[in-house]
Amino acid sequence: MAALQRRVEAAGLMFTVLRRGHEEGGLIFIKWVDGREATLFTEATVNDARRWVVRGGTAPEFEINERVAKDESFDPDLWVVEILGSSAHVAAILDPVSD
């Protein structure tokens, strides 16, 4: 998490932990907010490597908040991180893959 925060801040973007989950085993969601739109990312194993994967595509931020709230209601270990900034930086910071 610290390395991600350093990359985000080095790019001049805002990084905030919105919800702290279990230190060792909690799933991490990244909510990337660009204006009024947001994209939700989660980690997954892709070709034997841990990668960030888009979960459900880009949507108005309130819809992403609803998705996260739904997951929070049944996963008390969940982490939620918010990154504010242009989505032009996503590839350089997260190197995501499609789901």
Side-chain angles (χ1 to χ4, degrees), residues 10-25:
L13 307 175
M14 296 289 297
F15 178 97
T16 306
V17 176
L18 299 177
R19 184 177 196 286
R20 292 188 182 276
H22 191 271
E23 288 292 328
E24 296 175 15

Side-chain angles (χ1 to χ4, degrees), residues 6 11 16 21 23 26 33 35 45 51-52 55 57 59 62 66 68-69 71 83 94:
R6 284 191 298 275
T16 306
E23 288 292 328
V33 180
T45 301
R51 302 286 302 271
W52 292 106
R55 184 166 184 235
F62 76 90
E66 290 171 356
V68 171
D71 282 300
I83 299 172
L94 299 181

Side-chain angles (χ1 to χ4, degrees), residues 17-72:
V17 176
L18 299 177
R19 184 177 196 286
R20 292 188 182 276
H22 191 271
E23 288 292 328
E24 296 175 15
L27 178 68
I28 301 170
F29 279 169
I30 295 176
K31 184 177 86 167
W32 192 294
V33 180
D34 184 355
R36 294 182 182 191
E37 298 286 307
T39 306
L40 192 61
F41 296 88
T42 190
E43 278 189 304
T45 301
V46 178
N47 298 327
D48 297 324
R50 297 298 288 169
R51 302 286 302 271
W52 292 106
V53 177
V54 175
R55 184 166 184 235
T58 300
E61 186 179 5
F62 76 90
E63 288 181 19
I64 299 297
N65 290 341
E66 290 171 356
R67 286 185 215 165
V68 171
K70 185 177 179 181
D71 282 300
E72 286 177 331

